[in-house]
Amino acid sequence: MLAMEPLFIGSHVAADFLNTTLTPRGEAIELIGDGASFVAWLVKAQLLDGEEAARLRRRFGVAALDGTAAEARKLRRWAGDWLGRWRESPRASYEAELRRLNELLGRASSFRELSVTKDGPRLVERMTIGEPGDLLGLVALEIAKLVAQEEPALLKRCAGAECTLWFLDRTKAHRRVFCSASACGNRAKVAAFRERQRG
Ligand SMILES: [Zn+2]
């Protein structure tokens, strides 16, 4: 298994979450393999602030957070499967899926806090994380936002050969087909060029 930094090329946090596992060139990469990397991912995804993350790591401990990361990987598999079907048939009822998602959403409760920084007073929304499993609520909220706010057909998977990455196509013309122009887009261009050379 290769190590690498999380990718944020999905143009939506829910897509970035699905992209925490990837298989470039046939080799599996797991980006949330344990509790520490899952919490670090939540911080990079801006779902959790750094100080709060450090506090939670101390409070919950390694074993509990490792368990939560395992739950997160299950959630990812489930969400990838559901969102794949959702973008094909957005009008289906998805009763069981909504029940599961709403259960997790119940764990994503928040409160407002007024704080004064050097830039002046700021009203910030903070999540209530009472137990490790509540962290899944943060991810569930992003999945719920995707389904509630975005066009199903614009959730796409990269057209690159063997690329498994997801993204939300926010381009004006809705013609984005690759996870990134520099990686898969470039490889496809090179392959097409070689094909022409041969022909
Ligand atoms: Zn790709």
Side-chain angles (χ1 to χ4, degrees):
M1 200 172 279
L2 299 165
M4 71 177 274
E5 279 294 298
L7 293 169
F8 290 95
I9 49 99
S11 305
H12 193 288
V13 179
D16 291 327
F17 176 66
L18 297 178
N19 292 343
T20 54
T21 177
L22 61 160
T23 315
R25 294 175 285 280
E27 240 181 307
I29 299 181
E30 176 55 71
L31 298 172
I32 53 169
D34 57 22
S37 48
F38 178 50
V39 170
W41 183 84
L42 290 169
V43 173
K44 287 189 184 125
Q46 300 186 330
L47 299 181
L48 195 64
D49 82 41
E51 275 174 42
E52 171 80 347
R55 261 197 307 278
L56 294 179
R57 263 196 301 265
R58 281 194 300 274
R59 199 168 110 214
F60 296 144
V62 173
L65 287 173
D66 283 352
T68 306
E71 291 297 314
R73 295 193 295 275
K74 266 189 231 162
L75 172 64
R76 183 182 63 198
R77 211 163 28 244
W78 171 82
D81 172 67
W82 176 35
L83 293 172
R85 285 180 287 124
W86 168 72
R87 92 192 141 150
E88 302 297 333
S89 333
R91 296 279 162 252
S93 75
Y94 301 119
E95 249 172 73
E97 286 83 358
L98 292 177
R99 205 174 315 124
R100 175 158 182 188
L101 190 72
N102 284 334
E103 237 167 70
L104 288 171
L105 278 183
R107 315 190 88 163
S109 56
S110 64
F111 60 96
R112 305 289 159 96
E113 193 176 81
L114 182 65
S115 67
V116 180
T117 66
K118 57 179 173 19
D119 304 317
R122 233 160 49 95
L123 190 58
V124 290
E125 187 175 13
R126 296 210 182 274
M127 306 303 292
T128 312
I129 308 293
E131 48 184 290
D134 294 352
L135 294 170
L136 300 173
L138 303 180
V139 177
L141 185 56
E142 296 306 314
I143 296 168
K145 283 183 193 162
L146 176 77
V147 171
Q149 298 165 353
E150 307 295 343
E151 189 61 48
L154 297 184
L155 180 67
K156 299 179 179 179
R157 295 196 90 165
C158 177
E162 289 179 58
C163 185
T164 56
L165 295 177
W166 298 74
F167 59 87
L168 183 69
D169 184 355
R170 294 190 192 271
T171 63
K172 247 196 196 131
H174 299 150
R175 289 211 193 106
R176 179 173 170 191
V177 292
F178 294 115
C179 62
S180 91
S182 62
C184 286
N186 212 26
R187 264 198 294 280
K189 246 189 258 166
V190 171
F193 177 73
R194 293 220 178 100
E195 195 61 34
R196 277 199 304 276
Q197 295 291 86
R198 268 200 294 273

